[in-house]
Amino acid sequence: MLATRGLTSGEFLAWMDTAFAADENALLAAHPEHYVMAPEEDGAFNVVENIGPHVCSFSMGGRATDAMAWAADADELLPKSAFPHKMSSNLFLGDGTVVGRALTQFGDTADGFRASLTVYVPTSRPADVLEHHLRHYAVDFRNWITAAAAARP
């Protein structure tokens, strides 16, 4: 769980929408292990980054509301009353094979917002992959939150 002050989840998510729509530099700057974060024609993103000692290339997509169907009964799904902003993403290879998923949930607090970040990877993955990717994901979001706060008027 990440917590921030001085920025609402709505402000952050608006910044993210802009960054994901047109600002690859902001997406790349979130982590030194990002090599490519480029939009694809179908609305997905091509991502090349380190996951543990592995350089991985995958597509990320399914941020739309209907993409939440896989997460509807996830143990990590938090109450909508406390975390009303939810996004999910599938991580998939060029042939469509899903190799991971992400569930992000945001809720405002009295002085900012909280973000719950969940990553799902296959149980057959090497032992260090999940731990590394969770740390990587936390760095991504910390840097995106900092960039969103700095971009406010």
Side-chain angles (χ1 to χ4, degrees):
M1 184 79 61
L2 295 179
T4 188
R5 293 186 309 237
L7 187 69
T8 68
S9 61
E11 291 170 319
F12 173 66
L13 293 170
W15 178 90
M16 281 207 60
D17 283 344
T18 300
F20 271 86
D23 192 359
E24 184 181 12
N25 289 332
L27 302 175
L28 289 171
H31 203 295
E33 293 179 346
H34 286 174
Y35 306 112
V36 174
M37 291 194 81
E40 296 178 341
E41 290 180 17
D42 62 358
F45 266 79
N46 175 246
V47 176
V48 178
E49 67 182 21
N50 281 68
I51 298 180
H54 314 284
V55 176
C56 301
S57 178
F58 57 89
S59 292
M60 176 178 73
R63 290 182 54 195
T65 304
D66 63 340
M68 288 295 296
W70 67 264
D73 61 353
D75 290 341
E76 296 80 12
L77 196 64
L78 298 169
K80 190 164 179 74
S81 59
F83 290 85
H85 307 287
K86 299 179 186 300
M87 296 184 303
S88 67
S89 181
N90 294 309
L91 311 177
F92 50 94
L93 302 177
D95 68 0
T97 302
V98 175
V99 293
R101 291 190 165 128
L103 173 61
T104 55
Q105 303 172 88
F106 304 91
D108 289 325
T109 61
D111 60 351
F113 73 90
R114 293 183 302 157
S116 172
L117 311 173
T118 307
V119 175
Y120 303 86
V121 295
T123 57
S124 60
R125 73 6 192 153
D128 63 336
V129 168
L130 179 59
E131 185 60 34
H132 178 84
H133 200 62
L134 288 171
R135 286 192 309 269
H136 178 109
Y137 210 46
V139 170
D140 288 346
F141 274 89
R142 186 245 184 239
N143 288 332
W144 286 331
I145 290 166
T146 300
R152 290 185 335 165

